[in-house]
Amino acid sequence: AARDGLGEALARLLMLSKRCPFPDVREKSEAILSGVQELGIRIPRPLGHGPSRFIPEKETIQVGKEDATMHTLFAESFATLGRLDNVTLVMVFHPQYLESFLKTQHYLLQMDGPLPLHYRHYIGIMAAARHQCSYLVNLHVNDFLHVGGDPKWLNGLENAPQKLQNLGELNKMLAHRPWLITKEHIEQLLKTEENSWSLAELIHAVVLLTHYHSLASFTFGCGISPEIDCEGGHTFRPPSVSNYCICDITNGYHGVDEIHASPAGSIPVSSTESVCEVEALMEKMKQLQECRDEEEASQEEMATRFEREKRESMFVCSSEDEESAATRDVSRHFEDTSYGYKDFSRHGMHVPTFRVQDYSWEDHGYSLVNRLYPDVGQLLDEKFHIAYNLTYNTMAMHKDVDTSMLRRAIWNYIHCMFGIRYDDYDYGEINQLLDRSFKVYIKTVVCTPEKTTKRMYDSFWRQFEHSEKVHVNLLLVEARMQAELLYALRAITRYMT
């Protein structure tokens, strides 16, 4: 048992040896591991194959084979975090976005700000726990302890200071029903006598909560595997031949996660059918552009189409009611475990449409955040813009394609699900460009990410590259985060005025 404990303690070293961007460190670490194994100490092996359960390891970017830009990103991330985590290794499909993401996250967690470091990581735990995201909870439990956080707080939210407990209501509403947040909720936090929050502290907390809610969406949406040094990420058992079909071993496969016939994953699709799917989508984009050029719908018609799409989005739901199998009991980190996502107009409730022309990120949210938490507004704005405008002008096997119409449809569909309307957008385009399987995936990842399955990931855009599906997830992450922020910041603005 003692030897196994030592081996488990060396799991982090194993991860470093595999992923460190500096070759000399990799070599030294591997030499140490070799010596440890000669002493008869068992070293744990990762349970999964690669950073994602959805993407074959051979299709991810391998450390040591990356280009100069990626190497710099890896080196900076490693120096800052002391690790290259699986989220980074999947996001690196899109280096421009990853650079902005890492810069923002580093500022939120480690640079000067209104909240002490251990509060920041504890808020990350609270936010990730709302979606049962044990991956992020595990990472921040370690970071919380590393910066001197009280281990008793980890026994349950009721053991944390009352000030953090008071944040629980805002946490659950932001995560599941942000349209219900009012200035009264903000007032309760700011005027709770000795446990009150300052405006600057509250802005910092809100940005952290929305950051980790949306990052939980990315984690589940891309099937991020547990880190080898975290619970559920390693085993001492040797690989079992009984897990595999003999024909798979004969053909060179070493694990069930590696069996992918195509980028489409486990759903067999004929090449003709796949090509037709891509061609049909491109043809719809062309027709919609021609319709735009010929005539423009009236404001009344645009409003009607928004309401129709908003209603229809309520009937898009997952046919698979699978709950995520949390590797750690995360429910202790939040209250009211029965509270979850509900469509905003269910049960006779009427939530007024949030009109972007009345309160937008560009005209209102950005300046409020930047005023109360300097530089963060700028960092978030840059990250939103990179995700929204990111393009390589490709669609599956096609090059020189303008994808702006498709990207806007995805972004606006997510905001539509949150009751947010852009007066200048024709919501009729969404039904033309996003098929049902894609809508199911989007709504699940954004609203109930813990229910995302590999089948959902495989079933949309079946001929597209995995990098393009990761790109979709970046749009989902940022659109969701901005939607949550808009509701919270509008409530703060109303309180202030």
Side-chain angles (χ1 to χ4, degrees), residues 277-450:
E277 187 180 48
V278 179
E279 298 285 2
L281 181 54
M282 291 180 64
E283 182 60 29
K284 285 176 184 174
M285 289 165 60
K286 180 183 174 185
Q287 290 172 0
L288 286 170
Q289 186 59 55
E290 289 170 354
C291 290
R292 271 187 192 174
D293 296 340
E294 289 173 10
E295 59 177 327
E296 189 173 319
S298 66
Q299 279 299 310
E300 292 78 10
E301 178 60 22
M302 299 269 260
T304 300
R305 290 175 184 176
F306 169 79
E307 292 299 330
R308 186 185 304 132
E309 189 58 49
K310 190 171 77 167
R311 280 196 307 274
E312 287 182 7
S313 75
M314 292 191 296
F315 300 105
V316 173
C317 56
S318 164
S319 58
E320 304 179 51
D321 257 350
E322 295 185 27
E323 295 289 337
S324 65
T327 55
R328 146 187 201 103
D329 180 19
V330 298
S331 62
R332 61 163 99 73
H333 299 299
F334 62 93
E335 298 171 317
D336 198 357
T337 55
S338 63
Y339 192 95
Y341 174 79
K342 287 280 191 298
D343 290 309
F344 45 82
S345 295
R346 294 276 186 192
H347 310 301
M349 287 182 58
H350 177 69
V351 178
T353 294
F354 187 125
R355 300 176 71 203
V356 170
Q357 70 188 56
D358 297 331
Y359 196 94
S360 69
W361 166 255
E362 290 80 7
D363 297 332
H364 306 91
Y366 167 82
S367 57
L368 177 62
V369 172
N370 236 28
R371 179 153 47 97
L372 293 169
Y373 188 7
D375 297 328
V376 168
Q378 180 64 40
L379 288 167
L380 293 176
D381 192 60
E382 177 186 284
K383 190 159 63 76
F384 291 148
H385 276 92
I386 288 173
Y388 187 87
N389 296 310
L390 187 65
T391 183
Y392 306 95
N393 299 112
T394 60
M395 279 181 64
M397 69 293 294
H398 297 278
K399 300 187 185 304
D400 301 317
V401 183
D402 181 357
T403 62
S404 56
M405 180 183 289
L406 187 56
R407 283 180 277 118
R408 189 177 186 192
I410 294 168
W411 187 280
N412 286 3
Y413 179 61
I414 295 161
H415 280 199
C416 179
M417 291 191 303
F418 283 84
I420 298 171
R421 181 191 167 205
Y422 295 82
D423 284 358
D424 63 345
Y425 183 69
D426 181 355
Y427 286 84
E429 293 185 4
I430 289 173
N431 268 340
Q432 295 291 314
L433 297 175
L434 312 184
D435 64 25
R436 184 166 183 81
S437 64
F438 193 13
K439 284 184 171 182
V440 166
Y441 177 79
I442 291 173
K443 186 171 183 180
T444 305
V445 171
V446 171
C447 301
T448 53
E450 60 275 11

Side-chain angles (χ1 to χ4, degrees), residues 18-231:
K18 300 270 188 185
R19 294 184 178 174
C20 179
F22 308 109
D24 55 333
V25 176
R26 277 205 301 271
E27 290 171 11
K28 287 176 182 175
S29 298
E30 286 167 1
I32 293 170
L33 283 170
S34 177
V36 167
Q37 285 174 307
E38 286 177 8
L39 294 172
I41 297 172
R42 294 188 299 161
I43 300 296
R45 64 178 180 85
L47 271 174
H49 298 275
S52 165
R53 293 177 292 106
F54 297 171
I55 305 171
E57 185 175 18
K58 62 186 177 184
E59 296 193 30
T60 59
I61 295 162
Q62 303 297 313
V63 178
K65 298 179 181 177
E66 70 280 0
D67 63 23
T69 303
M70 292 176 187
H71 180 82
T72 301
L73 277 174
F74 282 162
E76 289 175 354
S77 178
F78 189 86
T80 301
L81 303 174
R83 64 161 69 233
L84 281 180
D85 60 32
N86 288 332
V87 166
T88 299
L89 290 170
V90 172
M91 277 189 185
V92 82
F93 275 117
H94 305 285
Q96 185 187 6
Y97 175 85
L98 176 60
E99 184 176 14
S100 176
F101 172 86
L102 290 175
K103 190 164 53 172
T104 304
Q105 184 166 262
H106 175 67
Y107 195 93
L108 289 173
L109 292 176
Q110 294 175 279
M111 300 298 283
D112 287 344
L115 295 174
L117 297 183
H118 62 303
Y119 266 49
R120 303 181 198 193
H121 290 293
Y122 196 82
I123 290 170
I125 293 168
M126 290 173 63
R130 278 269 30 141
H131 283 308
Q132 302 168 41
C133 188
S134 55
Y135 174 86
L136 292 174
V137 169
N138 282 332
L139 288 183
H140 284 282
V141 162
N142 291 336
D143 290 338
F144 172 78
L145 295 172
H146 181 70
V147 297
D150 186 343
K152 292 177 185 173
W153 297 11
L154 301 177
N155 293 330
L157 184 59
E158 68 278 4
N159 296 292
Q162 187 62 46
K163 183 172 179 175
L164 283 167
Q165 292 184 46
N166 292 346
L167 200 62
E169 184 77 6
L170 185 64
N171 181 25
K172 76 175 186 182
M173 294 176 76
L174 270 175
H176 306 299
R177 307 174 205 174
W179 45 86
L180 297 180
I181 296 171
T182 65
K183 67 177 183 180
E184 283 73 30
H185 294 112
I186 303 304
E187 186 174 22
Q188 286 172 10
L189 288 167
L190 297 174
K191 292 190 172 181
T192 321
E193 298 175 358
E194 73 273 11
N195 297 310
S196 66
W197 292 74
S198 70
L199 269 172
E201 288 175 330
L202 185 58
I203 288 289
H204 194 169
V206 163
V207 174
L208 282 167
L209 289 171
T210 58
H211 176 79
Y212 283 104
H213 293 156
S214 58
L215 191 54
S217 284
F218 184 86
T219 300
F220 286 114
C222 290
I224 300 296
S225 300
E227 301 294 334
I228 189 174
D229 59 323
C230 288
E231 190 174 343

